[in-house]
Amino acid sequence: VAEVLGQAVEKHRAVTRQRLSSQVLGLLNRRFDSESLVPDLLDEIHRWSGFEASLIRVEEGEDYPLAVTRGLDGDLREAMSSLLCRDDAGEILRDESGRALLSGFCGIVARGETSPDTPWFSKNGSFWTNSLTKTWVDARKTKGGACKALNHFESVALVPIRAKDKIVGLLELFDRRIGKLSLDLVHFLEDLGSSIGVALERRRAHQSVAKAQKNL
């Protein structure tokens, strides 16, 4: 009986993932040049995932600010609005080479500086944990650490949105419940992130052409 139930669960999971992939690809193909693209994509992913909160960041200059969120209150949105590290005077902190410092695990993922030898990073550069409380204890000794704004979440996934070899954004999922993630699910989200990244680059190129034509 257990084997049959397991097969049924796996089949249902595969069907729902295929359905989401089809919906996402449909949006990407029809609306890559639309301002509603990113909100519509997050709506589909948020409903499908069942996570309490989700967001998409899109690269903008040196930062990866929030583009759209679902399930985050105003205080959290404000606390998570930017990845740039700043001093008490509000100035951007920089490393020895002059590059802006980005905060926490989000910054590590955005910069592609993850280590696959560390258990909370996937080989494809995502951060994920089913218990941020435990990971936070382990991560105190590592570069970056956890973002304090996330302290009341447990299941957390930070997935790079890629366009070819470039990270152009982040897809992030959060839930206060323990055990909402699996490596298999993270890999599926990474595939979605790659599809979204290609669309974002197409949209950016389309906007650049449109702006150039407008200025003629």
Side-chain angles (χ1 to χ4, degrees), residues 107-128:
I108 294 174
V109 172
R111 286 275 167 77
E113 297 174 346
T114 60
S115 171
D117 297 329
T118 306
W120 47 78
F121 293 126
S122 76
K123 290 183 179 180
N124 294 321
S126 297
F127 167 86
W128 71 286

Side-chain angles (χ1 to χ4, degrees), residues 144-191:
C147 173
K148 292 182 179 179
L150 306 183
N151 278 353
H152 62 292
F153 292 114
E154 288 293 348
S155 295
V156 176
L158 311 174
V159 178
I161 295 175
R162 298 180 183 273
K164 296 182 180 179
D165 295 329
K166 181 177 174 58
I167 297 175
V168 297
L170 296 177
L171 169 63
E172 306 180 14
L173 301 179
F174 312 101
D175 203 290
R176 285 171 290 186
R177 292 166 289 184
I178 291 174
K180 290 281 290 179
L181 288 159
S182 67
L183 184 57
D184 181 58
L185 174 56
V186 172
H187 287 162
F188 175 71
L189 294 172
E190 288 170 343
D191 289 340

Side-chain angles (χ1 to χ4, degrees), residues 6 44 50-53 59 73-74 76 78 86 90 92 94 104 121 137 139 170 177 181 191 197:
E44 295 291 346
F51 274 65
E52 293 176 319
E59 180 188 28
D73 63 31
L76 269 179
E78 178 63 27
R86 297 179 183 272
I92 298 172
R94 300 183 180 277
F121 293 126
V137 172
L170 296 177
R177 292 166 289 184
L181 288 159
D191 289 340

Side-chain angles (χ1 to χ4, degrees), residues 63-104:
D63 198 5
Y64 288 80
L66 294 180
V68 61
T69 71
R70 296 291 181 265
L72 290 179
D73 63 31
D75 289 341
L76 269 179
R77 283 197 302 273
E78 178 63 27
M80 299 167 64
S81 62
S82 171
L83 295 186
L84 291 173
C85 295
R86 297 179 183 272
D87 61 21
D88 293 339
E91 296 297 320
I92 298 172
L93 296 175
R94 300 183 180 277
D95 61 20
E96 294 178 355
S97 67
R99 187 173 65 165
L101 295 178
L102 303 181
S103 64

